[in-house]
Coordinates of all heavy atoms in Angstrom, one line a residue:
K1 N -29.3 20.3 -16.3 CA -28.8 20.6 -14.8 C -27.3 20.3 -14.8 O -26.6 21.1 -14.2 CB -29.6 19.9 -13.8 CG -29.3 20.1 -12.6 CD -30.2 19.4 -11.5 CE -29.7 19.5 -10.2 NZ -30.4 18.9 -9.1
Y2 N -26.8 19.1 -15.3 CA -25.4 18.8 -15.1 C -24.8 19.0 -16.5 O -23.6 18.6 -16.5 CB -25.4 17.2 -14.7 CG -26.0 17.1 -13.4 CD1 -27.3 16.4 -13.2 CD2 -25.3 17.5 -12.1 CE1 -27.8 16.2 -12.0 CE2 -25.9 17.3 -10.9 CZ -27.2 16.6 -10.8 OH -27.7 16.4 -9.6
G3 N -25.2 19.5 -17.4 CA -24.6 19.6 -18.7 C -23.3 20.3 -18.7 O -22.2 19.7 -19.3
D4 N -23.2 21.4 -18.0 CA -21.9 22.1 -18.1 C -20.7 21.3 -17.2 O -19.7 21.2 -17.7 CB -21.9 23.5 -17.5 CG -22.7 24.4 -18.3 OD1 -22.8 24.2 -19.6 OD2 -23.1 25.5 -17.7
M5 N -21.2 20.6 -16.1 CA -20.3 19.9 -15.4 C -19.7 18.7 -16.2 O -18.5 18.5 -16.2 CB -20.9 19.3 -14.0 CG -20.0 18.5 -13.2 SD -20.7 18.2 -11.5 CE -22.1 17.2 -12.0
V6 N -20.6 18.0 -16.9 CA -20.3 16.9 -17.7 C -19.4 17.3 -18.9 O -18.4 16.7 -19.1 CB -21.5 16.1 -18.2 CG1 -21.1 15.0 -19.2 CG2 -22.3 15.5 -17.1
L7 N -19.8 18.4 -19.5 CA -18.9 19.0 -20.6 C -17.4 19.3 -20.0 O -16.5 19.0 -20.8 CB -19.6 20.1 -21.3 CG -18.9 20.8 -22.3 CD1 -18.6 19.8 -23.5 CD2 -19.6 21.9 -22.9
N8 N -17.4 20.0 -18.9 CA -16.0 20.4 -18.4 C -15.2 19.1 -18.0 O -14.0 19.1 -18.2 CB -16.2 21.2 -17.1 CG -16.7 22.6 -17.5 OD1 -16.4 23.1 -18.6 ND2 -17.3 23.3 -16.6
L9 N -15.9 18.0 -17.5 CA -15.3 16.9 -17.2 C -14.8 16.1 -18.4 O -13.6 15.7 -18.5 CB -16.2 15.8 -16.5 CG -15.7 14.5 -16.2 CD1 -14.5 14.5 -15.2 CD2 -16.8 13.5 -15.6
A10 N -15.6 16.1 -19.4 CA -15.0 15.5 -20.7 C -13.9 16.2 -21.3 O -13.0 15.6 -21.8 CB -16.2 15.5 -21.6
K11 N -13.9 17.6 -21.2 CA -12.8 18.4 -21.7 C -11.5 18.2 -21.0 O -10.4 18.4 -21.4 CB -13.1 19.9 -21.6 CG -14.2 20.3 -22.7 CD -14.6 21.7 -22.6 CE -15.6 22.2 -23.6 NZ -15.8 23.6 -23.6
S12 N -11.6 17.8 -19.7 CA -10.5 17.6 -18.8 C -9.8 16.3 -19.1 O -8.6 16.1 -18.6 CB -10.8 17.7 -17.4 OG -11.6 16.5 -16.9
L13 N -10.4 15.4 -19.8 CA -9.8 14.0 -20.0 C -8.7 14.1 -21.2 O -9.1 14.7 -22.2 CB -10.8 13.0 -20.4 CG -11.9 12.8 -19.4 CD1 -12.9 11.8 -19.9 CD2 -11.4 12.2 -18.0
H14 N -7.6 13.6 -20.9 CA -6.5 13.5 -21.9 C -5.6 12.4 -21.6 O -5.7 11.8 -20.4 CB -5.8 14.9 -21.9 CG -5.0 15.2 -20.6 ND1 -5.7 15.7 -19.5 CD2 -3.7 14.9 -20.3 CE1 -4.7 15.8 -18.5 NE2 -3.6 15.3 -18.9
T15 N -4.8 12.1 -22.5 CA -3.8 11.0 -22.3 C -2.8 11.4 -21.2 O -2.3 12.6 -21.3 CB -3.0 10.7 -23.6 OG1 -4.0 10.3 -24.5 CG2 -2.0 9.6 -23.4
I16 N -2.5 10.5 -20.3 CA -1.6 11.0 -19.2 C -0.2 11.2 -19.8 O 0.3 10.5 -20.7 CB -1.5 9.9 -18.1 CG1 -0.8 10.4 -16.9 CG2 -0.9 8.6 -18.6 CD1 -1.1 9.5 -15.7
T17 N 0.4 12.4 -19.4 CA 1.8 12.7 -19.7 C 2.8 11.9 -19.0 O 2.5 11.4 -17.9 CB 2.1 14.2 -19.7 OG1 2.0 14.5 -18.2 CG2 1.0 15.0 -20.4
P18 N 4.0 11.9 -19.4 CA 5.0 11.2 -18.7 C 5.4 11.9 -17.3 O 5.4 11.2 -16.3 CB 6.3 11.3 -19.5 CG 5.8 11.3 -20.9 CD 4.5 12.1 -20.8
S19 N 5.2 13.2 -17.2 CA 5.4 13.8 -15.9 C 4.3 13.5 -15.0 O 4.4 13.4 -13.8 CB 5.6 15.3 -16.0 OG 4.6 15.9 -16.6
E20 N 3.1 13.6 -15.5 CA 1.9 13.1 -14.7 C 2.0 11.7 -14.2 O 1.7 11.4 -13.0 CB 0.6 13.3 -15.4 CG 0.1 14.7 -15.7 CD -0.9 14.8 -16.6 OE1 -1.0 14.0 -17.6 OE2 -1.8 15.9 -16.6
R21 N 2.5 10.8 -15.0 CA 2.6 9.4 -14.6 C 3.6 9.2 -13.5 O 3.4 8.3 -12.6 CB 3.0 8.6 -15.9 CG 3.3 7.1 -15.5 CD 3.6 6.4 -16.8 NE 2.2 6.1 -17.5 CZ 1.8 5.0 -17.9 NH1 2.5 3.9 -17.6 NH2 0.7 4.9 -18.6
D22 N 4.7 10.0 -13.6 CA 5.8 10.0 -12.6 C 5.2 10.4 -11.2 O 5.8 10.0 -10.1 CB 6.9 10.9 -12.9 CG 7.7 10.3 -14.1 OD1 7.7 9.1 -14.4 OD2 8.5 11.1 -14.6
M23 N 4.2 11.1 -11.1 CA 3.6 11.6 -9.8 C 2.6 10.4 -9.2 O 2.3 10.6 -8.0 CB 2.8 12.9 -10.1 CG 3.6 14.0 -10.5 SD 2.8 15.5 -10.4 CE 1.5 15.3 -11.7
V24 N 2.3 9.6 -10.0 CA 1.2 8.5 -9.6 C 2.0 7.4 -8.9 O 3.0 6.8 -9.3 CB 0.5 7.9 -10.8 CG1 -0.5 6.9 -10.3 CG2 -0.2 9.0 -11.5
E25 N 1.5 7.0 -7.8 CA 2.0 6.0 -6.8 C 0.9 5.0 -6.5 O -0.3 5.3 -6.6 CB 2.6 6.4 -5.6 CG 3.8 7.3 -5.8 CD 4.3 7.8 -4.5 OE1 3.6 8.1 -3.6 OE2 5.6 8.1 -4.4
E26 N 1.2 3.7 -6.2 CA 0.1 2.8 -5.8 C 0.8 1.9 -4.6 O 2.0 1.9 -4.5 CB -0.3 1.9 -7.0 CG 0.9 1.0 -7.5 CD 0.4 0.3 -8.8 OE1 -0.7 -0.1 -8.8 OE2 1.3 -0.1 -9.6
T27 N -0.2 1.5 -3.9 CA 0.3 0.6 -2.7 C 0.1 -0.9 -3.2 O -1.1 -1.2 -3.7 CB -0.5 0.8 -1.5 OG1 -0.4 2.2 -1.1 CG2 -0.1 0.0 -0.3
V28 N 1.1 -1.6 -3.1 CA 1.1 -3.0 -3.6 C 1.4 -3.9 -2.4 O 2.1 -3.5 -1.4 CB 2.0 -3.3 -4.8 CG1 1.7 -2.5 -6.0 CG2 3.4 -3.1 -4.4
V29 N 0.9 -5.2 -2.4 CA 1.2 -6.1 -1.4 C 2.4 -6.9 -1.6 O 2.7 -7.5 -2.8 CB 0.0 -7.1 -1.2 CG1 0.3 -8.2 -0.3 CG2 -1.3 -6.4 -0.9
H30 N 3.4 -6.9 -0.7 CA 4.5 -7.8 -0.8 C 4.5 -8.7 0.4 O 3.9 -8.5 1.4 CB 5.8 -6.8 -0.6 CG 6.3 -6.1 -1.7 ND1 7.5 -5.6 -1.9 CD2 5.6 -5.7 -2.9 CE1 7.5 -5.0 -3.1 NE2 6.4 -5.0 -3.6
I31 N 5.0 -9.8 0.2 CA 5.0 -10.9 1.2 C 6.6 -11.0 1.7 O 7.3 -11.4 0.9 CB 4.5 -12.3 0.9 CG1 3.0 -12.0 0.3 CG2 4.5 -13.3 1.8 CD1 2.4 -13.2 -0.4
V32 N 6.7 -10.8 2.9 CA 8.1 -10.8 3.4 C 8.2 -11.7 4.7 O 7.1 -12.2 5.2 CB 8.5 -9.3 4.0 CG1 8.4 -8.3 2.8 CG2 7.6 -8.9 5.2
Q33 N 9.4 -12.0 5.0 CA 9.6 -12.9 6.2 C 10.0 -12.1 7.4 O 10.7 -11.2 7.2 CB 10.7 -14.0 5.9 CG 10.1 -15.0 4.9 CD 11.1 -16.1 4.6 OE1 12.1 -16.0 4.1 NE2 10.7 -17.4 5.1
S34 N 9.5 -12.5 8.5 CA 9.9 -11.8 9.8 C 11.1 -12.3 10.4 O 11.6 -13.5 10.0 CB 8.8 -11.9 10.8 OG 8.5 -13.3 11.1
N35 N 11.8 -11.5 11.3 CA 12.8 -12.0 12.1 C 12.3 -12.5 13.4 O 11.2 -12.1 13.7 CB 13.8 -10.9 12.3 CG 14.5 -10.3 11.1 OD1 14.9 -11.1 10.2 ND2 14.7 -9.1 10.9
N36 N 13.0 -13.4 14.0 CA 12.6 -13.9 15.2 C 12.3 -12.9 16.3 O 13.3 -12.0 16.6 CB 13.6 -15.0 15.8 CG 13.0 -15.9 16.9 OD1 11.8 -16.3 16.9 ND2 13.8 -16.1 18.0
G37 N 11.2 -12.9 17.0 CA 10.8 -12.0 18.1 C 10.5 -10.6 17.6 O 10.2 -9.7 18.3
E38 N 10.3 -10.3 16.3 CA 10.0 -9.1 15.7 C 8.6 -8.8 15.9 O 7.8 -9.8 15.8 CB 10.3 -9.0 14.2 CG 10.5 -7.8 13.5 CD 11.0 -7.9 12.1 OE1 10.8 -8.9 11.4 OE2 11.6 -6.9 11.7
T39 N 8.2 -7.4 16.1 CA 6.7 -7.2 16.2 C 6.2 -6.7 14.8 O 7.1 -6.4 13.9 CB 6.5 -6.1 17.3 OG1 7.3 -4.9 16.9 CG2 7.0 -6.5 18.5
L40 N 4.9 -6.5 14.7 CA 4.5 -5.9 13.4 C 5.0 -4.5 13.2 O 5.3 -4.1 12.0 CB 3.0 -6.0 13.4 CG 2.3 -7.3 13.2 CD1 0.7 -7.1 13.3 CD2 2.7 -7.9 11.9
K41 N 5.2 -3.8 14.3 CA 5.6 -2.4 14.2 C 7.1 -2.4 13.7 O 7.6 -1.6 12.9 CB 5.6 -1.7 15.6 CG 5.9 -0.2 15.5 CD 5.6 0.4 16.9 CE 5.9 1.9 16.8 NZ 5.7 2.5 18.2
E42 N 7.9 -3.3 14.3 CA 9.4 -3.3 13.9 C 9.5 -3.9 12.4 O 10.3 -3.3 11.7 CB 10.1 -4.3 14.7 CG 10.1 -3.8 16.2 CD 10.6 -4.8 17.3 OE1 10.4 -6.1 17.0 OE2 11.2 -4.4 18.3
L43 N 8.6 -4.9 12.1 CA 8.6 -5.4 10.8 C 8.2 -4.3 9.7 O 8.7 -4.1 8.7 CB 7.8 -6.6 10.6 CG 7.6 -7.2 9.2 CD1 7.9 -8.7 9.2 CD2 6.3 -6.9 8.6
S44 N 7.2 -3.5 10.2 CA 6.8 -2.4 9.2 C 7.9 -1.5 8.9 O 8.1 -0.9 7.9 CB 5.6 -1.6 9.9 OG 4.4 -2.5 9.9
K45 N 8.5 -1.1 10.0 CA 9.7 -0.1 9.9 C 10.8 -0.6 9.1 O 11.3 0.0 8.2 CB 10.3 0.3 11.3 CG 11.3 1.4 11.1 CD 11.7 1.7 12.6 CE 12.9 2.8 12.5 NZ 13.3 3.2 13.7
R46 N 11.1 -2.0 9.2 CA 12.2 -2.5 8.4 C 11.8 -2.7 7.0 O 12.7 -2.5 6.1 CB 12.5 -4.0 9.0 CG 13.7 -4.6 8.2 CD 14.1 -5.9 9.0 NE 12.9 -6.9 9.2 CZ 12.5 -7.8 8.2 NH1 13.0 -7.8 7.1 NH2 11.5 -8.7 8.5
T47 N 10.5 -3.0 6.7 CA 10.2 -3.3 5.3 C 9.5 -2.1 4.6 O 9.3 -2.2 3.3 CB 9.1 -4.5 5.3 OG1 8.0 -4.1 6.0 CG2 9.6 -5.6 5.8
G48 N 9.3 -1.0 5.2 CA 8.7 0.2 4.7 C 7.2 0.1 4.4 O 6.6 0.7 3.7
N49 N 6.5 -0.8 5.3 CA 5.1 -1.0 5.2 C 4.4 0.3 5.5 O 4.7 1.1 6.3 CB 4.8 -2.0 6.2 CG 3.1 -2.0 6.4 OD1 2.5 -2.4 5.5 ND2 2.7 -1.7 7.6
V50 N 3.4 0.6 4.8 CA 2.6 1.9 4.9 C 1.2 1.6 5.4 O 0.5 2.5 5.6 CB 2.4 2.6 3.5 CG1 3.9 3.1 3.0 CG2 1.7 1.9 2.5
L51 N 0.8 0.4 5.5 CA -0.5 0.1 6.1 C -0.6 0.3 7.6 O 0.4 0.2 8.4 CB -0.8 -1.5 5.9 CG -0.8 -2.0 4.5 CD1 -1.1 -3.4 4.3 CD2 -1.8 -1.1 3.6
E52 N -1.7 0.7 8.0 CA -1.9 1.0 9.5 C -1.8 -0.4 10.2 O -2.1 -1.4 9.8 CB -3.3 1.6 9.8 CG -3.6 2.9 9.3 CD -2.7 4.0 9.9 OE1 -2.5 3.8 11.1 OE2 -2.4 4.9 9.3
L53 N -1.3 -0.5 11.5 CA -0.8 -1.7 12.2 C -2.1 -2.4 12.4 O -2.1 -3.6 12.3 CB -0.3 -1.3 13.6 CG 1.2 -1.0 13.4 CD1 1.9 -0.7 14.7 CD2 2.0 -2.0 12.7
D54 N -3.4 -1.8 12.7 CA -4.6 -2.7 12.9 C -4.9 -3.4 11.7 O -5.4 -4.5 11.6 CB -5.7 -1.7 13.5 CG -6.1 -0.6 12.6 OD1 -5.4 -0.2 11.7 OD2 -7.2 -0.1 12.8
Y55 N -4.8 -2.7 10.5 CA -5.2 -3.4 9.3 C -4.1 -4.4 8.9 O -4.5 -5.5 8.4 CB -5.2 -2.3 8.2 CG -5.8 -2.8 6.8 CD1 -7.0 -3.4 6.7 CD2 -4.8 -3.0 5.7 CE1 -7.4 -3.8 5.4 CE2 -5.3 -3.4 4.5 CZ -6.6 -3.9 4.4 OH -7.0 -4.5 3.2
L56 N -2.9 -4.1 9.2 CA -1.8 -5.1 8.9 C -2.0 -6.4 9.6 O -2.0 -7.5 9.1 CB -0.4 -4.4 9.2 CG 0.7 -5.4 9.0 CD1 1.0 -5.6 7.4 CD2 2.0 -4.7 9.5
A57 N -2.5 -6.3 11.0 CA -2.7 -7.4 11.7 C -3.9 -8.2 11.2 O -4.0 -9.4 11.1 CB -3.0 -6.9 13.2
L58 N -5.0 -7.4 10.7 CA -6.2 -8.1 10.3 C -5.9 -8.9 9.1 O -6.3 -10.0 9.0 CB -7.2 -6.9 9.9 CG -8.6 -7.4 9.2 CD1 -9.3 -8.2 10.3 CD2 -9.2 -6.2 8.8
I59 N -5.1 -8.3 8.0 CA -4.9 -9.0 6.8 C -4.0 -10.2 7.0 O -3.9 -11.2 6.1 CB -4.4 -8.2 5.6 CG1 -3.1 -7.7 5.9 CG2 -5.4 -7.0 5.4 CD1 -2.4 -6.9 4.7
N60 N -3.3 -10.3 8.2 CA -2.4 -11.3 8.4 C -2.9 -12.3 9.5 O -2.2 -13.2 9.8 CB -1.0 -10.8 8.8 CG -0.2 -10.3 7.7 OD1 0.2 -11.1 6.8 ND2 -0.1 -9.0 7.4
N61 N -4.2 -12.0 10.0 CA -4.8 -12.9 10.9 C -4.0 -12.9 12.2 O -3.8 -14.0 12.7 CB -5.1 -14.2 10.3 CG -6.1 -15.0 11.2 OD1 -6.8 -14.4 11.9 ND2 -6.0 -16.3 11.3
L62 N -3.4 -11.7 12.6 CA -2.6 -11.6 13.8 C -3.2 -10.6 14.8 O -4.0 -9.8 14.3 CB -1.1 -11.3 13.4 CG -0.3 -12.2 12.4 CD1 0.9 -11.4 12.0 CD2 0.0 -13.4 13.3
E63 N -2.7 -10.6 15.9 CA -3.1 -9.6 17.0 C -2.0 -8.4 16.7 O -0.9 -8.6 16.2 CB -2.9 -10.1 18.3 CG -3.9 -11.3 18.7 CD -5.3 -10.7 18.8 OE1 -5.6 -9.4 19.0 OE2 -6.3 -11.5 18.4
E64 N -2.5 -7.2 17.0 CA -1.5 -6.0 16.7 C -0.2 -6.2 17.5 O 0.9 -5.8 17.0 CB -2.1 -4.7 17.1 CG -3.1 -4.2 16.1 CD -3.6 -2.7 16.4 OE1 -2.8 -1.9 16.6 OE2 -4.9 -2.6 16.6
N65 N -0.2 -6.7 18.6 CA 1.0 -7.0 19.5 C 1.8 -8.3 19.3 O 2.5 -8.7 20.2 CB 0.7 -6.6 20.9 CG -0.4 -7.7 21.5 OD1 -1.0 -8.5 20.8 ND2 -0.5 -7.6 22.8
A66 N 1.4 -9.0 18.3 CA 2.0 -10.3 18.1 C 3.5 -10.3 18.0 O 4.1 -9.3 17.5 CB 1.4 -10.9 16.7
V67 N 4.1 -11.3 18.6 CA 5.5 -11.5 18.4 C 5.7 -12.6 17.3 O 5.2 -13.7 17.5 CB 6.2 -11.8 19.7 CG1 7.7 -12.2 19.6 CG2 6.0 -10.9 20.7
L68 N 6.5 -12.3 16.3 CA 6.7 -13.0 15.2 C 7.7 -14.1 15.3 O 8.7 -13.8 16.0 CB 6.7 -12.2 13.9 CG 5.6 -11.2 13.7 CD1 6.1 -10.3 12.6 CD2 4.3 -11.8 13.4
K69 N 7.6 -15.1 14.6 CA 8.5 -16.2 14.6 C 9.6 -15.9 13.4 O 9.2 -15.3 12.4 CB 8.0 -17.6 14.3 CG 7.0 -18.0 15.5 CD 6.4 -19.2 15.2 CE 5.2 -19.5 16.3 NZ 4.2 -20.5 15.8
D70 N 10.8 -16.6 13.5 CA 11.7 -16.3 12.4 C 11.2 -17.0 11.2 O 10.7 -18.2 11.2 CB 13.0 -17.1 12.9 CG 14.1 -16.7 11.9 OD1 14.2 -15.5 11.4 OD2 14.8 -17.7 11.4
G71 N 11.2 -16.2 10.1 CA 10.9 -16.8 8.8 C 9.3 -16.7 8.6 O 8.8 -17.3 7.6
Q72 N 8.5 -16.2 9.6 CA 7.1 -16.2 9.3 C 6.7 -15.3 8.2 O 7.2 -14.2 8.1 CB 6.5 -15.6 10.7 CG 4.9 -15.7 10.6 CD 4.4 -15.4 12.0 OE1 5.0 -15.5 13.0 NE2 3.1 -15.2 12.1
W73 N 5.9 -15.6 7.3 CA 5.4 -14.9 6.0 C 4.3 -13.9 6.5 O 3.5 -14.3 7.2 CB 4.9 -15.8 4.9 CG 5.9 -16.7 4.4 CD1 6.2 -18.1 4.7 CD2 7.0 -16.3 3.4 NE1 7.2 -18.5 3.9 CE2 7.8 -17.5 3.2 CE3 7.3 -15.0 2.9 CZ2 8.8 -17.3 2.3 CZ3 8.4 -15.1 2.1 CH2 9.2 -16.2 1.8
V74 N 4.6 -12.6 6.1 CA 3.7 -11.6 6.5 C 3.4 -10.7 5.3 O 4.4 -10.4 4.6 CB 4.2 -10.6 7.7 CG1 3.4 -9.5 8.0 CG2 4.5 -11.6 8.9
K75 N 2.1 -10.4 5.0 CA 1.8 -9.4 3.9 C 2.0 -8.0 4.5 O 1.5 -7.6 5.5 CB 0.4 -9.8 3.5 CG 0.1 -11.1 2.9 CD -1.3 -11.2 2.6 CE -2.2 -11.5 3.7 NZ -2.4 -12.9 4.1
V76 N 2.7 -7.2 3.6 CA 2.9 -5.7 4.0 C 2.4 -4.9 2.7 O 2.4 -5.4 1.6 CB 4.2 -5.4 4.4 CG1 4.6 -6.2 5.6 CG2 5.4 -5.8 3.3
G77 N 2.1 -3.7 2.9 CA 1.8 -2.8 1.9 C 3.0 -1.8 1.4 O 3.5 -1.1 2.4
I78 N 3.5 -1.8 0.3 CA 4.7 -1.0 -0.1 C 4.2 0.1 -1.2 O 3.4 -0.5 -2.1 CB 5.7 -1.9 -0.6 CG1 6.1 -3.0 0.4 CG2 7.0 -1.1 -1.0 CD1 6.6 -2.5 1.6
V79 N 4.5 1.3 -1.1 CA 4.3 2.3 -2.1 C 5.4 2.2 -3.2 O 6.5 2.2 -2.9 CB 4.3 3.7 -1.4 CG1 4.0 4.7 -2.6 CG2 3.1 3.8 -0.4
V80 N 4.8 2.1 -4.4 CA 5.7 2.1 -5.5 C 5.2 3.0 -6.6 O 4.0 3.4 -6.7 CB 5.9 0.6 -6.2 CG1 6.5 -0.4 -5.2 CG2 4.5 0.1 -6.7
K81 N 6.1 3.3 -7.5 CA 5.7 4.2 -8.7 C 4.8 3.4 -9.5 O 5.0 2.2 -9.7 CB 6.9 4.6 -9.4 CG 7.8 5.7 -8.8 CD 7.1 7.0 -8.9 CE 8.2 8.0 -8.4 NZ 7.5 9.3 -8.3
Y82 N 3.7 4.0 -10.0 CA 2.9 3.3 -11.1 C 3.5 3.0 -12.3 O 4.3 3.9 -12.9 CB 1.6 4.4 -11.3 CG 0.7 3.8 -12.2 CD1 -0.2 2.8 -11.9 CD2 0.7 4.1 -13.7 CE1 -1.1 2.2 -12.9 CE2 -0.3 3.6 -14.6 CZ -1.1 2.7 -14.1 OH -2.0 2.0 -15.0
Q83 N 3.3 1.8 -12.8 CA 4.0 1.3 -13.9 C 3.1 1.5 -15.2 O 2.1 0.9 -15.3 CB 4.5 -0.1 -13.9 CG 5.5 -0.2 -12.8 CD 6.9 0.3 -13.1 OE1 7.3 0.3 -14.3 NE2 7.6 0.9 -12.1

């Protein structure tokens, strides 16, 4: 029943080419410091965070509308090229 599908899948597997690798991106966690009075939305814009604000608040144990202190450590998600 699945023989042709499995065979086609196997035929599609190959070593990734340099141009294919250049197209791959991943989201990694960076830990950054906030500025005094900054919001998560402002920090996201400044740092290039790609995570949704509700998720960003969740992983940092904060409310979405939290006002951050100077030097407060915050986890953000940054998109980088796959290495």
